[in-house]
Amino acid sequence: MRLDALSRLVRLSLARERRGAFFSAFGVAMGVGTLVFFIGLGLGVGQVIREKIFPNDARMVDVVPAAVSLGSLLGGGKLDAEAVERLRSLPGVEAAHRKMNVRVPAVTRYDGAFFGTKLRMGMEVLAMGVEPSLVKGDTQMGEFKDPGEGQPIPVLVSTRLLELYNKTFAPARKLPQLSANMIVGFGFPVEFNRSYVSANSATGPSRSVQTQVVGASDRAMFAGITIPLETAMRINREAGVDADTFTGVTLVATDPSKVPALVDAVKAMGLEIDDQERRMAENTGAAVALTTSALALLSILICILAAVNIAHALSASVRARAKEIGVMQAVGASRSDIRAIVLAESAVVGLAGGAIGTGVALLASLGVNRFAAGYLPNFPFKPDSFFSFPWPVVLGGVVLGLLAALAGAYFPSRRAAATDPARTLAG
Amino acid sequence: MIHARDVTKEYLDGDGTRVRVLDSMSLDVEAGDFVAVVGPSGSGKSTLLHLLGGLDVDYRGEVKVGGVTLGGLKDKDLARFRNTHVGFVFQSFHLIPNLSALENVLLPSYFGPRTADAVKRAEALLERVGLGAKKDRAPVRLSGGERQRVAIARALYGGPRLLLCDEPTGNLDANTGDGVIQLFRELHREGLTVLAVTHEERMSVAARRVLRLKEGKLVEERATERSVLGGAP
Ligand SMILES: Nc1ncnc2c1ncn2[C@@H]1O[C@H](COP(=O)(O)OP(=O)(O)OP(=O)(O)O)[C@@H](O)[C@H]1O
Ligand SMILES: [Mg+2]
């Protein structure tokens, strides 16, 4: 059947059945709208988890020494320079970034100006040295490398720590909100080889150094400060503690698909993988995905109901139009023409419902974001948007509307095509 | 124009028994003829029209209309045949209520090939049946006679050589019925073959041949040899 003729006939019958068409489209819009909304929410929250709460690069593998020293008894499981070399030469490894904790206790004592207020505090500090290459791009001031004896040590703080500080720590203590840019340049003293914890009997003299924040990084240690690897090694050496074995090595695979094989190779070396973060991300992600799936299932159910509703309405309309269908057959409509007309009618309803539902879902998401921004208290990792609508979701919404409507029209269209003109036209 | 041989048509009754409506019926109609078919209610007149018009292909025997053998045609080809070879006119007009007169006449155009002058053609046909001025009216705002004229214009749209009419004046009063009969006469004079099922005396008077459907067969009741060709004034 010609497309122009089809569209003309479809427009005519939709104009007549405006009410029925409206309710059919409304049902589709409900189903599609809730589905798109919940999927967008699930994707959005998942994205926040992946990118903000547990930032995780799929290509990265964190290698740590074996916790149980069985490996070390057999000569493996230690992360020394030789082990690092072997890791670096594993197939699929693009880079290996070493990390070493400062192995002596440290404290900070601060008493002075703090972004417009005064701050007085003292606390234990953990410090981890990382290779500059791992945090490249996060340093906003100077160079992230060992400054040498007596010079201020460049420090990176965790973006997550900053987020927690801003959302919970600072408000409770009436401290100012800080951004990564603001803290760059902030200096504070750190005393290594000293502890407030009495049981921790540090040996040797403590040494006080000045530090300077040079940026915030996702890869920085969460509860502590992150300093250049060489600095950490120097401090350990000077304190007479282990300065040869590393606390961890972050391997970067050439490709995420290489990661499983890499993990196996690392384990074969008697080393372990620290996938705590990844697991947490995966667990939280799975919880979100599960919730989203449940809600999506509910929405699919609404879509099915919408299809049933269309089937019902269309059956009635086809029955009511039997005579008209007979007339069309008498003037030259084939059975497939009749079928096409009914299907096309429903397709238009479905497309309209799908588009409207998707549009309303997008609008509703804007509304929720606005509400969250304006009325929800600030909590850590509170995103600007709780939603993510990649184009396949948007397109999928419209297509789903179409499919639901076509499914609903399946039987009515067959029934219409089976109309016996001789019977309906007689008399 | 029409050549039907040994056509048998049976319906399955509600209780499963076969009811034979046409029984080895044969019919030959010359091109340009005007034939009236009469017979009591339930004798199978409508059934016959549906077979001849390709609306019903469930029968035994041979039906050939306008050179086209209908038996065994695929649905698409049957539809094409109805679109171009025959025009149907029904007792109750069967206009589509929410379409204007013009759009009703255009209905066959939607199932044929695209033509640039479809609207012009439909307008000319409405002009031809005397409704040029009322082309935009909805069927409800037309009289019965006018509605039947619209239906006739619609039947003519595909350029058929054969009009199949089922009681075309059955729903019209005598005066308007006369007008419609007059129109059939004119169309016949212009060369169209007309086969009309009717109860109407005047309709059969206008026809050149009258056939009676009796016990499933057609019986010649009156044949006029080129006497009243064109009909009485
Ligand atoms: N679809 C059908 N199923 C079963 N029986 C049918 C069907 N259509 C018609 N019949 C039967 O076939 C017979 C002929 O019907 P048809 O409509 O052809 O009669 P008709 O001569 O046109 O009558 P009328 O003058 O009342 O219009 C009738 O007995 C009718 O009951
Ligand atoms: Mg009849």
Side-chain angles (χ1 to χ4, degrees):
Chain A
M1 189 171 184
R2 279 155 42 211
L3 212 62
D4 61 320
L6 186 63
S7 87
R8 176 94 188 101
L9 289 170
V10 164
R11 248 178 304 155
L12 284 172
S13 70
L14 284 180
R16 181 176 21 172
E17 316 230 347
R18 231 173 277 138
R19 227 178 121 83
F22 173 81
F23 281 113
S24 294
F26 180 79
V28 172
M30 285 280 287
V32 168
T34 47
L35 185 66
V36 169
F37 181 86
F38 286 134
I39 287 184
L41 181 62
L43 290 179
V45 171
Q47 192 171 352
V48 172
I49 290 170
R50 268 194 324 280
E51 291 175 5
K52 287 181 119 181
I53 304 182
F54 303 110
N56 219 321
D57 188 325
R59 285 162 58 218
M60 288 192 176
V61 176
D62 281 319
V63 181
V64 291
V68 185
S69 42
L70 182 69
S72 49
L73 287 177
L74 299 170
K78 248 177 27 177
L79 260 183
D80 50 16
E82 188 216 349
V84 171
E85 271 324 301
R86 282 175 62 201
L87 284 173
R88 195 164 278 161
S89 60
L90 284 176
V93 171
E94 186 178 287
H97 306 289
R98 295 164 297 164
K99 296 179 198 168
M100 187 186 289
N101 286 352
V102 172
R103 291 186 166 111
V104 291
V107 299
T108 178
R109 228 185 319 217
Y110 191 81
D111 187 358
F114 187 72
F115 301 98
T117 57
K118 285 190 77 66
L119 179 69
R120 229 183 96 107
M121 71 166 199
M123 63 179 185
E124 296 273 330
V125 171
L126 297 176
M128 175 177 76
V130 300
E131 263 181 299
S133 51
L134 183 65
V135 292
K136 156 175 83 202
D138 294 331
T139 311
Q140 296 185 38
M141 188 177 125
E143 232 182 308
F144 191 70
K145 62 167 199 196
D146 184 26
E149 193 73 39
Q151 294 298 310
I153 300 173
V155 160
L156 286 169
V157 297
S158 158
T159 39
R160 279 192 282 162
L161 180 64
L162 197 60
E163 176 75 17
L164 270 184
Y165 163 87
N166 278 329
K167 296 294 167 65
T168 49
F169 189 84
R173 289 164 184 78
K174 297 204 166 48
L175 289 169
Q177 295 289 305
L178 301 177
S179 70
N181 289 335
M182 286 168 70
I183 56 172
V184 169
F186 179 71
F188 57 96
V190 172
E191 261 182 273
F192 286 104
N193 213 3
R194 193 192 154 95
S195 174
Y196 295 132
V197 184
S198 54
N200 202 334
S201 49
T203 54
S206 72
R207 60 172 57 241
S208 187
V209 292
Q210 190 65 23
T211 65
Q212 189 170 44
V213 176
V214 297
S217 171
D218 286 343
R219 310 226 61 87
M221 164 181 227
F222 175 66
I225 56 176
T226 301
I227 60 176
L229 179 68
E230 295 300 326
T231 312
M233 291 169 78
R234 175 165 59 82
I235 292 167
N236 283 340
R237 223 175 3 254
E238 283 166 358
V241 296
D242 176 12
D244 299 320
T245 68
F246 297 96
T247 319
V249 174
T250 300
L251 296 179
V252 182
T254 50
D255 190 83
S257 66
K258 298 263 170 37
V259 166
L262 200 52
V263 166
D264 289 342
V266 168
K267 284 184 174 158
M269 285 173 64
L271 296 167
E272 286 183 2
I273 308 292
D274 178 10
D275 55 0
Q276 222 176 325
E277 290 259 306
R278 193 182 297 266
R279 269 208 211 135
M280 244 168 359
E282 276 169 10
N283 287 348
T284 324
V288 171
L290 198 71
T291 316
T292 308
S293 305
L295 293 171
L297 211 64
L298 198 77
S299 318
I300 295 276
L301 213 68
I302 301 178
C303 286
I304 292 175
L305 282 180
V308 170
N309 173 49
I310 285 180
H312 185 76
L314 216 49
S315 288
S317 126
V318 161
R319 228 173 299 133
R321 275 155 47 188
K323 237 183 199 122
E324 183 177 320
I325 291 169
V327 172
M328 289 191 198
Q329 288 170 317
V331 300
S334 66
R335 299 205 181 276
S336 60
D337 289 339
I338 300 297
R339 185 138 196 237
I341 292 169
V342 176
L343 284 177
E345 242 173 70
S346 196
V348 169
V349 166
L351 276 178
I356 290 169
T358 305
V360 168
L362 296 181
L363 284 179
S365 75
L366 287 183
V368 168
N369 282 339
R370 257 200 132 114
F371 172 84
Y375 296 97
L376 286 190
N378 233 354
F379 52 83
F381 308 110
K382 180 178 168 186
D384 291 334
S385 171
F386 289 84
F387 298 86
S388 165
F389 293 106
W391 68 263
V393 171
V394 174
L395 187 72
V398 180
V399 170
L400 178 71
L402 176 66
L403 291 182
L406 287 181
Y410 181 78
F411 287 110
S413 71
R414 289 177 74 100
R415 182 200 204 113
T419 300
D420 178 7
R423 194 186 290 242
T424 56
L425 292 174
Chain B
M1 174 60 64
I2 299 175
H3 173 81
R5 195 60 65 228
D6 290 329
V7 175
T8 299
K9 167 76 188 175
E10 289 175 338
Y11 283 115
L12 221 50
D13 219 357
D15 49 13
T17 55
R18 288 174 184 279
V19 182
R20 186 164 289 196
V21 179
L22 300 179
D23 187 6
S24 291
M25 179 224 72
S26 292
L27 168 67
D28 282 286
V29 176
E30 300 274 306
D33 213 341
F34 188 160
V35 178
V37 175
V38 297
S41 179
S43 57
K45 305 183 295 295
S46 298
T47 304
L48 171 66
L49 284 192
H50 295 150
L51 295 191
L52 297 177
L55 279 175
D56 183 354
V57 285
D58 180 21
Y59 58 85
R60 274 174 288 147
E62 188 198 351
V63 176
K64 208 166 158 185
V65 175
V68 181
T69 305
L70 298 187
L73 275 192
K74 283 192 301 243
D75 187 62
K76 269 225 146 30
D77 299 321
L78 266 181
R80 175 123 220 89
F81 166 82
R82 295 192 297 263
N83 189 239
T84 52
H85 280 63
V86 291
F88 281 99
V89 179
F90 303 98
Q91 175 172 0
S92 41
F93 326 131
H94 289 329
L95 297 180
I96 294 180
N98 65 322
L99 296 187
S100 69
L102 181 67
E103 287 168 317
N104 265 290
V105 177
L106 273 171
L107 195 63
S109 77
Y110 298 136
F111 305 103
R114 181 204 289 275
T115 42
D117 62 345
V119 173
K120 268 213 189 80
R121 179 173 170 71
E123 283 172 341
L125 284 167
L126 279 173
E127 200 71 54
R128 170 71 191 80
V129 299
L131 286 175
K134 297 181 175 174
K135 65 185 170 77
D136 292 322
R137 288 218 189 163
V140 281
R141 294 183 51 233
L142 293 171
S143 75
E146 288 169 337
R147 286 182 208 181
Q148 195 58 303
R149 285 165 188 273
V150 173
I152 292 169
R154 181 179 66 191
L156 293 173
Y157 182 90
R161 303 310 308 145
L162 173 64
L163 273 190
L164 296 171
C165 316
D166 197 347
E167 307 268 15
T169 55
N171 275 12
L172 304 175
D173 61 47
N175 263 338
T176 23
D178 277 350
V180 167
I181 291 169
Q182 186 56 35
L183 180 57
F184 281 121
R185 272 188 168 152
E186 287 168 24
L187 293 170
H188 168 235
R189 208 160 24 204
E190 287 164 18
L192 219 58
T193 312
V194 178
L195 188 135
V197 162
T198 186
H199 281 125
E200 199 83 34
E201 190 64 19
R202 273 165 303 205
M203 187 76 169
S204 39
V205 165
R208 294 212 307 168
R209 281 172 77 192
V210 180
L211 302 173
R212 178 166 295 275
L213 194 52
K214 208 169 165 183
E215 283 153 10
K217 291 189 167 54
L218 278 168
V219 197
E220 197 88 34
E221 194 154 283
R222 172 173 68 76
T224 314
E225 286 303 329
R226 73 182 74 123
S227 53
V228 281
L229 207 157

